[in-house]
Amino acid sequence: MKMTHLKQLLAVSGFIFAAGLVQTPALAQQKNDPKFNKMIQESFRADGIAGLNRIDQDATQKFCSDPQFANSKQGQAMREKIQKINMDSIKQPSDGKYIGDWKNGEKIAQSGRGATWSDTADTPIGGGCYNCHQIDSKEISYGNIGPSLTGYGKMRGYSPEVVSYTWNRINNSKAYNACSNMPRFAHFKLLNEQQMQDVMALLLDPESPVNK
Amino acid sequence: MQRKLTLGLASGLVAALLTMATSVSAQKSATDDIAKYREMIADGNPSELYEAAGEELWKKPAGPKNATLEQCNLGLGPGVVKGAAAQLPRYFKDTNKVQDLESRLMTCMQVLQGRDPHEMIDAPFQKGPKKDMEAIVAYVVTLSKGDKIKVSTAHPKEKEMYDLGKRAFFFQGGPMDFSCASCHAENNKRIRLQDLPNITEQKGAALGWGYWPAYRVSSGQFWTMQQRLNDCFRQQRFPFPIYGSDVTLALSMYMAKNANGGIVETPGLKR
């Protein structure tokens, strides 16, 4: 009896101690550091299509460069604000079509090329989807930074909600998760509307190998 | 009804497990094959050719002063090459800077041989003066093989460089919002089939830092850490990092310090 009591007491005090550790010190977003800014400004040069403007951060990039704050309780409000900015930037397809050609979508998903300084402005930019996701189960060479998308439509169904969520995710994943690792394909014009419709088809056309 | 449902679930589960098992074994065998291949040619790492060329360049008079690099101080005293790479980057009093191996070698070339560092900075990788630099790097790092990585942040400038490097590691930019951390801040992550070390932890940092510079089988080239970082930034869609610039030094300091206690396996052998 006494022993149980002691254990409880220990557990409670342990909890308080742990909670104390988590709460202090109060987190704030990383301060602007002139030394760091100078280092970044002076360490790069423009090369081909990779101009120096690429290191000018927007609000999302700035926020996510401080993951400790971005993932903290204190960062919550800002996180929501960032997500809203990104959500508001998403345009629905101009022709009202969400689903394109899965065969083209597969090619886009396979290609990780484009947008580097060794590319030119007319190098087609790939989606690089397989770099981070499992998609078609027949493809062995896939990454795991993102979740598996195998059986995407088959598992989730093809409802308007699923279609619109998927469209938004491909366009701008940061609308749902402020610091998602996924590039904002529409925001930086990495993929055009047609290409995004084709990637949609890869995930959501019942005829796509993803859903077979 | 309930039985049917359970059966259905069970068979679905079995099917899912089977699919997982095949893809996991395919994954595993592909990774194993790379490891096997590495083992097969590890005895004759082609970077030995670079090492030999580098040793020759080290001892050959060059530059306007027609001097050798033999009196170069890599941190352990003039002319001491053995073990020096294992303790770089570090602070150097004469330049009042934290330097990595390549930037320190440029200082030696400038001071001892009278050469303009811009020869090396501006040359493309694998060509001209940069090619010589790569050979010299191969020579120097080989003489630390098997040593413990031992990088200090005791000097305020070293500590400052480490902190800048940590911040640079998480700095997002470019049209894909990438930072080093996008790929190298979690355990057990892969791009395609390529395993990615988690550089925020000692184990992963030692795997990354400890194995570069390395001979790359796929390109048939010896790559220094400066070139490795350069290609990481290219794939991040960043602008071009200037050879020997502070961001490359800071990131090297961050990786090297995190890797402390690991073993220098350079020159490594990479896919």
Short mmCIF file of all heavy atoms in Angstrom, two decimals, chain B residues 55 58-59 69-88 90 101 105 136-148 150 263-264 266:
data_model
loop_
_atom_site.label_atom_id
_atom_site.label_comp_id
_atom_site.label_asym_id
_atom_site.label_seq_id
_atom_site.Cartn_x
_atom_site.Cartn_y
_atom_site.Cartn_z
N GLU B 55 50.29 13.12 -54.13
CA GLU B 55 51.56 13.10 -53.41
C GLU B 55 52.65 13.75 -54.27
O GLU B 55 53.48 14.52 -53.77
CB GLU B 55 51.94 11.67 -53.04
CG GLU B 55 53.20 11.62 -52.17
CD GLU B 55 53.50 10.23 -51.61
OE1 GLU B 55 52.83 9.26 -51.99
OE2 GLU B 55 54.43 10.15 -50.77
N TRP B 58 52.15 17.44 -54.28
CA TRP B 58 52.53 17.98 -52.96
C TRP B 58 54.04 18.29 -52.90
O TRP B 58 54.46 19.27 -52.31
CB TRP B 58 52.15 16.93 -51.89
CG TRP B 58 52.38 17.34 -50.47
CD1 TRP B 58 53.45 17.03 -49.70
CD2 TRP B 58 51.51 18.11 -49.65
NE1 TRP B 58 53.31 17.55 -48.44
CE2 TRP B 58 52.11 18.23 -48.37
CE3 TRP B 58 50.26 18.72 -49.85
CZ2 TRP B 58 51.52 18.92 -47.32
CZ3 TRP B 58 49.67 19.41 -48.80
CH2 TRP B 58 50.30 19.52 -47.57
N LYS B 59 54.79 17.41 -53.55
CA LYS B 59 56.26 17.50 -53.45
C LYS B 59 56.91 18.20 -54.65
O LYS B 59 58.14 18.31 -54.73
CB LYS B 59 56.85 16.09 -53.31
CG LYS B 59 56.44 15.42 -52.02
CD LYS B 59 56.86 13.97 -51.95
CE LYS B 59 56.48 13.38 -50.58
NZ LYS B 59 56.55 11.92 -50.57
N LEU B 69 54.53 22.19 -51.53
CA LEU B 69 53.56 22.38 -50.45
C LEU B 69 54.03 21.71 -49.16
O LEU B 69 53.31 21.66 -48.17
CB LEU B 69 52.19 21.81 -50.86
CG LEU B 69 51.44 22.60 -51.92
CD1 LEU B 69 50.23 21.81 -52.42
CD2 LEU B 69 50.98 23.95 -51.37
N GLU B 70 55.25 21.18 -49.18
CA GLU B 70 55.71 20.35 -48.07
C GLU B 70 55.73 21.07 -46.72
O GLU B 70 55.70 20.41 -45.69
CB GLU B 70 57.09 19.76 -48.38
CG GLU B 70 57.00 18.64 -49.41
CD GLU B 70 58.35 18.31 -50.03
OE1 GLU B 70 59.01 19.21 -50.59
OE2 GLU B 70 58.75 17.14 -49.94
N GLN B 71 55.79 22.39 -46.73
CA GLN B 71 55.76 23.12 -45.46
C GLN B 71 54.36 23.62 -45.09
O GLN B 71 54.18 24.40 -44.15
CB GLN B 71 56.73 24.31 -45.51
CG GLN B 71 58.21 23.89 -45.40
CD GLN B 71 58.47 23.00 -44.19
OE1 GLN B 71 58.23 23.40 -43.06
NE2 GLN B 71 58.94 21.77 -44.42
N CYS B 72 53.36 23.15 -45.83
CA CYS B 72 51.97 23.56 -45.56
C CYS B 72 51.55 23.11 -44.15
O CYS B 72 51.77 21.96 -43.76
CB CYS B 72 51.05 22.93 -46.60
SG CYS B 72 49.31 23.30 -46.34
N ASN B 73 50.94 24.03 -43.41
CA ASN B 73 50.46 23.71 -42.06
C ASN B 73 48.95 23.47 -42.10
O ASN B 73 48.17 24.40 -42.25
CB ASN B 73 50.79 24.85 -41.10
CG ASN B 73 50.41 24.52 -39.66
OD1 ASN B 73 49.73 23.52 -39.40
ND2 ASN B 73 50.86 25.35 -38.73
N LEU B 74 48.58 22.21 -41.95
CA LEU B 74 47.16 21.85 -41.99
C LEU B 74 46.55 21.80 -40.60
O LEU B 74 45.46 21.29 -40.40
CB LEU B 74 46.98 20.50 -42.70
CG LEU B 74 47.42 20.46 -44.18
CD1 LEU B 74 47.44 19.02 -44.69
CD2 LEU B 74 46.50 21.31 -45.05
N GLY B 75 47.29 22.35 -39.63
CA GLY B 75 46.75 22.44 -38.27
C GLY B 75 47.60 21.72 -37.25
O GLY B 75 47.53 22.00 -36.05
N LEU B 76 48.41 20.76 -37.70
CA LEU B 76 49.24 20.00 -36.76
C LEU B 76 50.72 20.39 -36.86
O LEU B 76 51.58 19.68 -36.38
CB LEU B 76 49.08 18.49 -37.01
CG LEU B 76 47.65 17.94 -36.89
CD1 LEU B 76 47.62 16.43 -37.13
CD2 LEU B 76 47.04 18.25 -35.52
N GLY B 77 50.97 21.52 -37.50
CA GLY B 77 52.35 21.97 -37.68
C GLY B 77 52.76 21.87 -39.14
O GLY B 77 52.17 21.09 -39.89
N PRO B 78 53.80 22.66 -39.54
CA PRO B 78 54.22 22.66 -40.94
C PRO B 78 54.65 21.27 -41.39
O PRO B 78 55.43 20.60 -40.71
CB PRO B 78 55.42 23.63 -40.95
CG PRO B 78 55.29 24.44 -39.70
CD PRO B 78 54.60 23.57 -38.71
N GLY B 79 54.09 20.82 -42.50
CA GLY B 79 54.52 19.55 -43.09
C GLY B 79 53.88 18.31 -42.50
O GLY B 79 54.11 17.21 -42.98
N VAL B 80 53.06 18.49 -41.44
CA VAL B 80 52.42 17.29 -40.84
C VAL B 80 51.11 17.01 -41.57
O VAL B 80 50.15 17.77 -41.48
CB VAL B 80 52.14 17.47 -39.33
CG1 VAL B 80 51.54 16.20 -38.75
CG2 VAL B 80 53.42 17.86 -38.60
N VAL B 81 51.10 15.93 -42.32
CA VAL B 81 49.91 15.57 -43.08
C VAL B 81 49.13 14.46 -42.36
O VAL B 81 47.91 14.44 -42.36
CB VAL B 81 50.30 15.10 -44.51
CG1 VAL B 81 49.07 14.72 -45.31
CG2 VAL B 81 51.06 16.22 -45.22
N LYS B 82 49.89 13.57 -41.72
CA LYS B 82 49.25 12.44 -41.07
C LYS B 82 48.29 12.90 -39.96
O LYS B 82 48.69 13.63 -39.07
CB LYS B 82 50.31 11.51 -40.49
CG LYS B 82 49.77 10.10 -40.38
CD LYS B 82 50.81 9.07 -40.06
CE LYS B 82 50.16 7.79 -39.55
NZ LYS B 82 48.75 7.59 -39.85
N GLY B 83 47.05 12.49 -40.08
CA GLY B 83 46.06 12.81 -39.05
C GLY B 83 45.44 14.19 -39.16
O GLY B 83 44.49 14.51 -38.45
N ALA B 84 45.95 15.02 -40.09
CA ALA B 84 45.48 16.42 -40.14
C ALA B 84 44.02 16.52 -40.59
O ALA B 84 43.24 17.29 -40.02
CB ALA B 84 46.38 17.23 -41.07
N ALA B 85 43.64 15.73 -41.58
CA ALA B 85 42.28 15.84 -42.12
C ALA B 85 41.22 15.47 -41.09
O ALA B 85 40.10 15.97 -41.14
CB ALA B 85 42.13 14.98 -43.38
N ALA B 86 41.59 14.60 -40.14
CA ALA B 86 40.63 14.16 -39.13
C ALA B 86 40.25 15.28 -38.17
O ALA B 86 39.26 15.18 -37.45
CB ALA B 86 41.20 12.98 -38.35
N GLN B 87 41.04 16.35 -38.16
CA GLN B 87 40.78 17.46 -37.22
C GLN B 87 40.35 18.73 -37.93
O GLN B 87 40.36 19.82 -37.35
CB GLN B 87 42.02 17.70 -36.36
CG GLN B 87 42.41 16.46 -35.57
CD GLN B 87 43.58 16.70 -34.64
OE1 GLN B 87 43.80 17.80 -34.17
NE2 GLN B 87 44.32 15.64 -34.36
N LEU B 88 39.98 18.58 -39.19
CA LEU B 88 39.49 19.74 -39.95
C LEU B 88 37.98 19.66 -40.12
O LEU B 88 37.46 18.56 -40.13
CB LEU B 88 40.16 19.76 -41.34
CG LEU B 88 41.65 20.16 -41.35
CD1 LEU B 88 42.26 19.90 -42.73
CD2 LEU B 88 41.81 21.63 -40.97
N ARG B 90 39.08 23.63 -38.81
CA ARG B 90 39.53 24.20 -37.55
C ARG B 90 39.92 25.67 -37.76
O ARG B 90 40.05 26.15 -38.88
CB ARG B 90 40.72 23.41 -37.01
CG ARG B 90 41.97 23.57 -37.86
CD ARG B 90 43.05 22.59 -37.46
NE ARG B 90 43.54 22.87 -36.12
CZ ARG B 90 44.09 21.93 -35.33
NH1 ARG B 90 44.19 20.68 -35.76
NH2 ARG B 90 44.55 22.24 -34.15
N LEU B 101 39.63 21.59 -45.45
CA LEU B 101 40.85 21.14 -46.12
C LEU B 101 41.12 21.93 -47.40
O LEU B 101 42.24 22.42 -47.62
CB LEU B 101 40.76 19.64 -46.42
CG LEU B 101 41.95 19.04 -47.18
CD1 LEU B 101 43.28 19.34 -46.49
CD2 LEU B 101 41.77 17.52 -47.32
N LEU B 105 44.23 24.44 -48.10
CA LEU B 105 45.20 24.16 -49.17
C LEU B 105 45.38 25.38 -50.07
O LEU B 105 46.49 25.68 -50.52
CB LEU B 105 44.76 22.95 -49.99
CG LEU B 105 44.98 21.58 -49.32
CD1 LEU B 105 44.29 20.47 -50.11
CD2 LEU B 105 46.46 21.28 -49.16
N ILE B 136 45.42 16.40 -54.58
CA ILE B 136 46.10 16.71 -53.32
C ILE B 136 45.21 16.36 -52.13
O ILE B 136 45.67 15.80 -51.13
CB ILE B 136 46.54 18.19 -53.29
CG1 ILE B 136 47.60 18.44 -54.39
CG2 ILE B 136 47.11 18.56 -51.92
CD1 ILE B 136 47.88 19.91 -54.66
N VAL B 137 43.93 16.66 -52.26
CA VAL B 137 42.97 16.31 -51.20
C VAL B 137 42.98 14.79 -50.97
O VAL B 137 43.02 14.32 -49.83
CB VAL B 137 41.55 16.81 -51.55
CG1 VAL B 137 40.51 16.16 -50.64
CG2 VAL B 137 41.47 18.33 -51.42
N ALA B 138 42.98 14.03 -52.06
CA ALA B 138 42.99 12.56 -51.94
C ALA B 138 44.22 12.10 -51.16
O ALA B 138 44.14 11.23 -50.29
CB ALA B 138 42.96 11.92 -53.33
N TYR B 139 45.35 12.72 -51.47
CA TYR B 139 46.60 12.38 -50.78
C TYR B 139 46.50 12.69 -49.29
O TYR B 139 46.82 11.86 -48.43
CB TYR B 139 47.76 13.14 -51.42
CG TYR B 139 49.02 13.17 -50.59
CD1 TYR B 139 49.71 12.00 -50.29
CD2 TYR B 139 49.53 14.39 -50.10
CE1 TYR B 139 50.87 12.03 -49.52
CE2 TYR B 139 50.69 14.43 -49.34
CZ TYR B 139 51.35 13.24 -49.04
OH TYR B 139 52.49 13.28 -48.27
N VAL B 140 46.00 13.88 -48.97
CA VAL B 140 45.95 14.30 -47.56
C VAL B 140 44.96 13.45 -46.76
O VAL B 140 45.28 12.99 -45.66
CB VAL B 140 45.58 15.80 -47.45
CG1 VAL B 140 45.33 16.19 -46.00
CG2 VAL B 140 46.68 16.67 -48.04
N VAL B 141 43.78 13.21 -47.29
CA VAL B 141 42.77 12.48 -46.49
C VAL B 141 43.17 11.02 -46.28
O VAL B 141 42.83 10.43 -45.26
CB VAL B 141 41.34 12.59 -47.06
CG1 VAL B 141 40.87 14.03 -47.08
CG2 VAL B 141 41.20 11.92 -48.42
N THR B 142 43.88 10.46 -47.23
CA THR B 142 44.29 9.06 -47.08
C THR B 142 45.17 8.88 -45.85
O THR B 142 45.11 7.85 -45.18
CB THR B 142 45.04 8.58 -48.34
OG1 THR B 142 44.20 8.80 -49.47
CG2 THR B 142 45.38 7.10 -48.26
N LEU B 143 45.91 9.92 -45.53
CA LEU B 143 46.80 9.84 -44.37
C LEU B 143 46.07 10.06 -43.04
O LEU B 143 46.69 10.18 -41.99
CB LEU B 143 47.96 10.83 -44.52
CG LEU B 143 49.02 10.37 -45.53
CD1 LEU B 143 49.99 11.49 -45.87
CD2 LEU B 143 49.79 9.16 -45.00
N SER B 144 44.74 10.12 -43.09
CA SER B 144 43.95 10.14 -41.85
C SER B 144 43.02 8.94 -41.77
O SER B 144 42.23 8.83 -40.84
CB SER B 144 43.11 11.43 -41.76
OG SER B 144 43.94 12.54 -41.46
N LYS B 145 43.09 8.10 -42.77
CA LYS B 145 42.20 6.94 -42.80
C LYS B 145 42.36 6.10 -41.54
O LYS B 145 43.48 5.79 -41.14
CB LYS B 145 42.50 6.09 -44.04
CG LYS B 145 41.36 5.16 -44.41
CD LYS B 145 41.64 4.41 -45.69
CE LYS B 145 40.47 3.50 -46.00
NZ LYS B 145 39.77 3.88 -47.22
N GLY B 146 41.23 5.78 -40.91
CA GLY B 146 41.27 4.98 -39.70
C GLY B 146 41.36 5.80 -38.42
O GLY B 146 41.15 5.28 -37.32
N ASP B 147 41.65 7.09 -38.56
CA ASP B 147 41.71 7.96 -37.38
C ASP B 147 40.30 8.30 -36.88
O ASP B 147 39.34 8.18 -37.63
CB ASP B 147 42.44 9.27 -37.71
CG ASP B 147 43.93 9.07 -37.92
OD1 ASP B 147 44.39 7.91 -37.84
OD2 ASP B 147 44.62 10.06 -38.19
N LYS B 148 40.23 8.76 -35.65
CA LYS B 148 38.95 9.24 -35.12
C LYS B 148 38.71 10.67 -35.57
O LYS B 148 39.64 11.49 -35.54
CB LYS B 148 38.97 9.19 -33.59
CG LYS B 148 38.31 7.95 -33.08
CD LYS B 148 37.85 8.10 -31.64
CE LYS B 148 37.16 6.81 -31.24
NZ LYS B 148 37.43 6.38 -29.92
N LYS B 150 37.96 14.22 -34.98
CA LYS B 150 38.18 14.96 -33.73
C LYS B 150 38.21 16.45 -34.07
O LYS B 150 39.27 17.01 -34.33
CB LYS B 150 39.50 14.49 -33.12
CG LYS B 150 39.65 14.83 -31.66
CD LYS B 150 40.97 14.28 -31.13
CE LYS B 150 41.51 15.16 -30.02
NZ LYS B 150 42.96 15.06 -29.91
N ILE B 263 34.84 7.25 -37.30
CA ILE B 263 36.12 6.92 -37.92
C ILE B 263 36.21 7.54 -39.32
O ILE B 263 35.25 7.51 -40.08
CB ILE B 263 36.30 5.38 -38.02
CG1 ILE B 263 36.18 4.73 -36.64
CG2 ILE B 263 37.62 5.01 -38.68
CD1 ILE B 263 37.27 5.11 -35.66
N VAL B 264 37.40 8.09 -39.62
CA VAL B 264 37.64 8.60 -40.97
C VAL B 264 37.79 7.42 -41.93
O VAL B 264 38.68 6.59 -41.75
CB VAL B 264 38.93 9.45 -41.01
CG1 VAL B 264 39.20 9.94 -42.42
CG2 VAL B 264 38.83 10.62 -40.05
N THR B 266 37.86 7.96 -45.27
CA THR B 266 38.16 8.56 -46.57
C THR B 266 39.52 8.08 -47.10
O THR B 266 40.43 7.84 -46.30
CB THR B 266 38.19 10.09 -46.46
OG1 THR B 266 39.12 10.46 -45.45
CG2 THR B 266 36.82 10.62 -46.11
#
